[in-house]
Amino acid sequence: METRIDRIKKQLHAASYKLTPQREATVRILLDHEEDHLSAEDVYLLVKDIAPEIGLATVYRTLELLTELKIVDKINFGDGVSRYDLRQEGAAHFHHHLVCLECGAVDEIQEDLLEDVEADVEKRWNFQIKDHRLTFHGICWRCNDLGADKPEKDA
Amino acid sequence: METRIDRIKKQLHAASYKLTPQREATVRILLDHEEDHLSAEDVYLLVKDIAPEIGLATVYRTLELLTELKIVDKINFGDGVSRYDLRQEGAAHFHHHLVCLECGAVDEIQEDLLEDVEADVEKRWNFQIKDHRLTFHGICWRCNDLGADKPEKDA
DNA sequence: TACCAGTTAAGAATGATTCTAAATAATAAG
DNA sequence: CTTATTATTTAGAATCATTCTTAACTGGTA
């Protein structure tokens, strides 16, 4: 079976870039932390464990390259740091986020949800949508004491 | 008639802050540029014209204060600068933005559009929504040569 | 071997934002 | 009206994330 890394390697080659050891190490870290929303600094510290000779600037350049190729998404929750997420394979659009104002947790919504809204906007504002960013700020299920359990698995 | 400034003054007083001359000058600039999406630096340069002795740090502090009081919204389009928008009076939620990938123009959508989506998210993810951020990236009506005219006025 | 384009590390440079210290203005008490 | 107290301000230093610069290194190739 073709691994995720192999497919990323092909994507790089298709754009005539190489999967250098530094880039591979960076991608591996991203794969190992798919659930998190790592900052460039976070990635750097983690990559150093498996490739100690790497430089911070290289991590930045790699993340920028992966963003250009739509392999990762660069997100900004307004806290002054850019965060990087592996994009779901085959996803046309950026996924959404739920940011908890209490505990700071960031959960993801993989579903689109915006199909109707987008059609409406394209028509009425004559705007050709290429991508979107949607973030909800509020209180997550963990902080909402009302005896609720984790809901995403039920959805 | 009570002016917008008066009402903002009351909001400040209600939170036991004062409308100092520097704060008033800053608010006036924001009122005069409601259509734009000014960065802190932009605001600073404009405020200096009417209150030359103001410091950049004061502008930052003022904008931060106004953000806390929900008088302005702090936005981040991912270009490394925070921008500030006067919130529509009475608006419960943040308004949305259309960012053009061609010309960089930023248009606003004042309508909510997300009522149905929010109800769905609150129920299924057990997440109590306080606010949202929605930005569409694409090609605006100006850059879309297909002979279209400004659509927002028709909406 | 010598060359060439792509890639890298290290650290300097930049740019936005926040912090610090001292000065100033407003407020309250006597 | 003074004096003490507190909030607010300025200017510039400090910080933090990010990008740039330079020189070194790599792999492929004539």
Side-chain angles (χ1 to χ4, degrees):
Chain A
M1 161 212 157
E2 195 181 34
T3 66
R4 193 94 177 265
I5 286 256
D6 288 336
R7 285 193 294 277
I8 290 173
K9 186 172 182 176
K10 279 188 185 167
Q11 286 182 266
L12 281 167
H13 286 166
S16 46
Y17 292 107
K18 299 170 207 159
L19 185 64
T20 64
Q22 291 87 347
R23 286 176 184 166
E24 177 167 353
T26 305
V27 170
R28 278 195 195 288
I29 291 301
L30 291 173
L31 283 168
D32 288 351
H33 294 79
E34 275 203 271
E35 294 290 301
D36 306 333
H37 296 82
L38 302 174
S39 67
E41 182 93 32
D42 294 337
V43 174
Y44 173 60
L45 294 173
L46 289 165
V47 173
K48 282 202 89 148
D49 290 343
I50 60 175
E53 80 297 349
I54 203 170
L56 176 58
T58 301
V59 172
Y60 269 103
R61 250 179 295 106
T62 302
L63 291 172
E64 193 187 351
L65 177 61
L66 294 173
T67 303
E68 260 170 44
L69 299 181
K70 310 249 187 218
I71 294 166
V72 310
D73 283 314
K74 182 176 180 180
I75 342 167
N76 204 308
F77 292 127
D79 59 351
V81 209
S82 293
R83 294 169 187 285
Y84 299 85
D85 257 26
L86 269 184
R87 185 178 276 231
Q88 289 298 106
E89 282 190 285
H93 280 306
F94 194 73
H95 54 263
H96 316 307
H97 292 94
L98 302 176
V99 178
C100 182
L101 298 170
E102 284 274 319
C103 66
V106 177
D107 292 316
E108 299 191 353
I109 297 184
Q110 296 295 344
E111 278 173 72
D112 194 327
L113 300 177
L114 289 181
E115 281 147 348
D116 297 344
V117 174
E118 290 199 351
D120 192 31
V121 169
E122 293 220 331
K123 186 152 36 117
R124 287 169 53 205
W125 275 270
N126 187 28
F127 187 88
Q128 190 188 334
I129 296 174
K130 299 284 191 188
D131 203 356
H132 55 231
R133 298 284 153 129
L134 175 58
T135 306
F136 292 108
H137 300 256
I139 313 298
C140 75
W141 59 274
R142 278 160 293 235
C143 299
N144 234 328
D145 355 64
L146 310 169
D149 51 357
K150 190 173 179 189
E152 282 162 75
K153 300 305 175 195
D154 318 340
Chain B
M1 161 212 156
E2 195 182 33
T3 66
R4 194 94 177 264
I5 286 257
D6 288 334
R7 285 192 294 277
I8 289 173
K9 186 172 183 176
K10 280 188 185 163
Q11 285 181 266
L12 281 167
H13 285 166
S16 46
Y17 292 106
K18 297 167 210 159
L19 185 64
T20 64
Q22 292 87 345
R23 286 176 183 165
E24 178 167 352
T26 305
V27 170
R28 279 195 193 288
I29 291 301
L30 291 174
L31 283 167
D32 289 351
H33 295 79
E34 276 204 89
E35 294 289 302
D36 306 334
H37 296 81
L38 301 175
S39 67
E41 181 93 30
D42 294 336
V43 174
Y44 173 60
L45 293 174
L46 290 165
V47 173
K48 282 200 89 148
D49 290 342
I50 58 175
E53 79 297 348
I54 203 171
L56 177 57
T58 301
V59 171
Y60 269 103
R61 251 179 296 108
T62 302
L63 291 172
E64 193 187 352
L65 176 61
L66 294 173
T67 304
E68 260 169 42
L69 298 181
K70 310 249 188 220
I71 294 166
V72 311
D73 283 313
K74 182 177 180 181
I75 341 166
N76 203 308
F77 292 126
D79 58 353
V81 207
S82 293
R83 295 169 187 284
Y84 299 85
D85 257 24
L86 268 185
R87 185 178 276 230
Q88 290 298 106
E89 283 190 283
H93 279 306
F94 194 72
H95 55 262
H96 316 308
H97 293 94
L98 302 176
V99 179
C100 182
L101 298 170
E102 284 274 319
C103 67
V106 178
D107 293 316
E108 299 191 352
I109 297 184
Q110 296 295 344
E111 278 173 73
D112 193 328
L113 301 177
L114 290 181
E115 281 147 348
D116 296 344
V117 174
E118 291 199 350
D120 190 33
V121 169
E122 292 220 332
K123 186 153 34 120
R124 288 167 54 202
W125 276 270
N126 186 28
F127 187 88
Q128 189 188 334
I129 296 175
K130 298 285 191 188
D131 203 357
H132 55 229
R133 298 282 155 131
L134 174 58
T135 305
F136 292 107
H137 300 256
I139 312 298
C140 75
W141 58 275
R142 278 160 292 235
C143 300
N144 235 326
D145 354 64
L146 310 170
D149 51 357
K150 192 173 179 190
E152 281 160 77
K153 300 305 173 194
D154 319 339

